[in-house]
Amino acid sequence: MMRLIVAMFGMLIASFGAFGLIRPADFVGLVRNFWATPKSVHYAAALRLALGAALLLAAAGSAYPRTFTAFGYLSLAGAVIVIVLGRARLTNLIELWARQPEAIIRLWGLIALAFGIFLVSAIR
């Protein structure tokens, strides 16, 4: 079951990455719209917690158990960081990110695409 959840997260992450790679301006708009919602911090933290837990639980059955474990703990730490920073600071960080050149936004999209593909391909 956890492998399926990790694979679904991987496909979602890869899809967002491909979107950011192909249409960076629209991707930035999507991210801005997400952070404009009052509960964005709660959603982001919940998604990071779910991904972290799924990675930790699926690590033993993956092709790269140590890597999955490391990413799982990073994701859990990311959830805590999102909560600690809060919506105002995260919105400022998003705006800083959104002002980067298109090539940088595309690079982040490529990184997300590669990470999503890695998650899907590392599931046995």
Side-chain angles (χ1 to χ4, degrees):
M1 181 63 163
M2 283 304 125
R3 295 186 313 202
L4 176 63
I5 292 171
V6 170
M8 289 172 55
F9 267 114
M11 288 185 282
L12 182 66
I13 292 167
S15 298
F16 278 118
F19 183 55
L21 189 60
I22 296 167
R23 301 191 56 149
D26 292 337
F27 181 66
V28 167
L30 179 75
V31 172
R32 279 182 169 147
N33 285 340
F34 173 79
W35 285 105
T37 62
K39 296 199 180 269
S40 59
V41 170
H42 303 296
Y43 297 143
L47 285 171
R48 288 178 190 278
L49 283 171
L51 175 60
L55 286 170
L56 290 172
L57 292 171
S62 73
Y64 304 99
R66 289 183 184 164
T67 305
F68 265 47
T69 300
F71 281 135
Y73 284 122
L74 284 172
S75 184
L76 294 177
V80 173
I81 290 168
V82 164
I83 292 167
V84 168
L85 286 178
R87 187 168 164 253
R89 287 189 200 128
L90 287 169
T91 300
N92 289 339
L93 286 173
I94 294 300
E95 287 306 315
L96 177 68
W97 169 80
R99 290 191 299 269
Q100 299 304 307
E102 187 176 276
I104 300 298
I105 303 300
R106 287 182 193 269
L107 177 62
W108 280 108
L110 180 63
I111 291 167
L113 176 62
F115 181 64
I117 291 170
F118 166 74
L119 290 179
V120 172
S121 66
I123 293 295
R124 292 186 198 171

